[in-house]
Amino acid sequence: GYNPNQRIATAFAAAALYPGLGTATMLQGLNFGGGSGVESGAKILLRAAVAALLNAAHPDVHYPRTAATIQAEVNAALASRNRGTMLALKDALDRDNNLGCPIDAHGRRK
């Protein structure tokens, strides 16, 4: 599993390419803001990627991507250093993240 204090780079190694992003915690990643530029694109992607990874790893969530797939796709997008590539993947992950979930914010089945 994953925990809120775990460093992002332990799940997404390519986050280390961006100063301060790889050493941020998963919880901090969920709170990353946006903005213009490549580093902001990486933050935007990582916010969606952390949520996607947590969804994929949860046994009660039927997520359309595996954790390994998410990690590979996110690492490739981050390594590209291309904001458009990162935002396109963010959009895809965001769609998957909003498909619906059988558990509530407290981890209980709805």
Side-chain angles (χ1 to χ4, degrees):
Y2 300 95
N3 73 66
N5 296 317
Q6 182 175 343
R7 302 289 176 203
I8 287 177
T10 64
F12 303 108
L17 297 171
Y18 302 87
L21 298 188
T23 58
T25 66
M26 298 288 247
L27 182 59
Q28 289 170 324
L30 288 172
N31 292 302
F32 279 161
S36 60
V38 174
E39 185 171 327
S40 290
K43 286 181 178 180
I44 293 166
L45 170 58
L46 285 167
R47 183 177 60 231
V50 169
L53 187 62
L54 295 175
N55 284 331
H58 197 288
D60 292 331
V61 177
H62 302 289
Y63 199 73
R65 299 172 198 252
T66 66
T69 297
I70 294 164
Q71 289 171 309
E73 291 173 341
V74 170
N75 281 325
L78 291 171
S80 77
R81 295 188 180 265
N82 182 296
R83 180 179 168 85
T85 298
M86 289 185 261
L87 295 182
L89 178 55
K90 182 276 300 179
D91 288 343
L93 294 175
D94 191 50
R95 281 189 299 275
D96 291 347
N97 288 339
N98 288 292
L99 287 173
C101 181
I103 57 174
D104 65 16
H106 305 286
R108 296 183 297 254
R109 285 192 148 301
K110 293 180 183 177

